[in-house]
Amino acid sequence: MKNSLVKRSWAEPYKIKMVELLKMTTKAQRIKAIKEAGYNTFLLKSEDVYIDLLTDSGTNAMSDVQWSAMMLGDEAYAGSKSYYKLEGTIQKYYGYKYVIPTHQGRAAENILSKILIKKGDVIPGNMYFTTTRLHQELAGGTFTDIIIDEAHDPTSEHPFKGNVDMAKLEKVVKKYGAKKIPYISIATNVNMAGGQPVSMANLKELRAYTKKLGIRVIHDMTRVAENAFFIQQREKGYDKKSIAQIVKEICSLTDGATMSAKKDALVNIGGFMATNEWDVFEEARNMVVVYEGLHTYGGLAGRDMEAIAVGIVESLDDNHQHARIGQVEYLGNKMMEYNVPIVLPIGGHGIFVDAKKFLPHLTQDQFPAQTLAAEMYIDSGVRTMERGIVSAGRKPNGDNYYPKLELVRFTMPRRVYTQAHMDVIAESAAAVYDRRKSIKGLKMIYEPKYLRFFQAKFEKL
Ligand SMILES: *Cc1c(COP(=O)(O)O)cnc(C)c1O
């Protein structure tokens, strides 16, 4: 082949200025550690972990610009300069009018759910998220899933698996009436579906329909820039638009938002609630004082608000998203080469391995995804997490949810690991896959009441 025909690789638009040294462990040490952790990767000590893919939440590497912005933090109790910087950034890049900072995303969900939801209300959404649904339920509402069927099918290669099924939504509206629906809960890049995007066409259709009925669209914009990248790559008419332009357009089709800044916005802690409605803002401003702190800091230090403001702008850079999602795709393609069954298309924030397919000899009550996450740790010290029956939890009546998807999430922190780390992870998954038939399931021996996946304990069968 002529050199001029060789594919041109991309690489990260940054270089490394500081490194964090890691402890290397032996297999015997890891077997002991995971047993002590009750086969729950959330209960491992992070110093016993080599490559930590538990979550992309708050695990990002901040830039030198973010670190230096932290020195500008105005730690005034009231009216902090850093708050106005954050507010201005959100207004400029996302377009929402009013902003309430919170210490992280679920705090924004708590406040928003308490304000908008009345007992007996129904909240349709494009697949549940754990904390989002729990706050809706605690406020007296019931979540109902209106995502397209393809999202529940790990083999479907639909380019926008996060889309709302408009027929499902119309059915819910007919059944309960628009008055019982305070808002539609729309996540951009649907976490629980594997980091799958919503299309702009779908959002426009949803906006037109909800406008007619006077129903709000509330945007869980935790990974909106990653969603925008997929729109740019896949949707007609968007290949020449910048991620910043696409993000602004997405937000313009919704009425308010909750955000965990610990993902897209490249910080270690933070979040906010935003709304275009003065009344909702007024009430949120009252409520944030009870749960978080004054409305100009909402549980955050001034320095955190500075870092978020810079991180939001960095997250909208096209080269950043190309490298971020490119790294996830690199890992996914490598796993496919080794025949490891993963959810397709490859999502934005991680690789989701299909544990039902990986361990077909285990029933869902034997926790295949929980089992596989423990086995990955034993093999190489790579920490992943369960997204299946344990995460799905129980219905308000006490029955288990039995989700169709039983996945292990390999979530990628932003700007943290190198391509060599990706090779180690894929090779480890391949090694576990080769000995899959000898792997036994788990039994739950301790179950907390809320969000059980964080603290549940297991024993080998
Ligand atoms: C992480 C996350 C949240 C909750 O945010 P926290 O900052 O963890 O409280 C809400 N929605 C989605 C889609 C998330 O990924």
Side-chain angles (χ1 to χ4, degrees), residues 102 104-113 257-259 271-273:
T102 57
Q104 59 184 80
R106 70 196 68 184
E109 291 170 348
N110 174 36
I111 292 167
L112 188 93
S113 302
T258 56
M259 168 77 155
F272 61 81
M273 193 200 109

Side-chain angles (χ1 to χ4, degrees), residues 104-106 109 129 131-132 191 220 222-223 260 262-263:
Q104 59 184 80
R106 70 196 68 184
E109 291 170 348
F129 182 73
T131 59
T132 318
N191 187 347
D220 180 342
T222 294
R223 295 181 184 80
S260 170
K262 302 170 70 173
K263 283 84 170 222

Side-chain angles (χ1 to χ4, degrees), residues 86 90 94 96 99-105 108-109 221 257-261 265 270-274 300 308 312:
L86 177 62
I90 292 167
Y94 298 146
Y96 296 116
V99 177
I100 301 274
T102 57
H103 80 279
Q104 59 184 80
E109 291 170 348
M221 61 181 303
T258 56
M259 168 77 155
S260 170
F272 61 81
M273 193 200 109
L300 291 170
I308 299 169
I312 286 172

Side-chain angles (χ1 to χ4, degrees), residues 150-206:
E150 285 87 342
H152 294 282
D153 174 4
T155 62
S156 159
E157 297 203 35
H158 192 292
F160 292 103
K161 281 170 107 169
N163 278 357
V164 167
D165 183 330
M166 293 302 295
K168 282 187 193 170
L169 174 58
E170 281 172 41
K171 231 164 119 185
V172 174
V173 172
K174 259 208 194 103
K175 184 165 170 196
Y176 298 99
K179 287 231 149 53
K180 282 256 174 257
I181 302 173
Y183 62 91
I184 319 271
S185 181
I186 292 301
T188 41
N189 247 26
V190 181
N191 187 347
M192 299 301 271
Q196 302 292 334
V198 186
S199 73
M200 196 71 86
N202 188 249
L203 287 168
K204 284 181 182 163
E205 205 182 345
L206 182 70

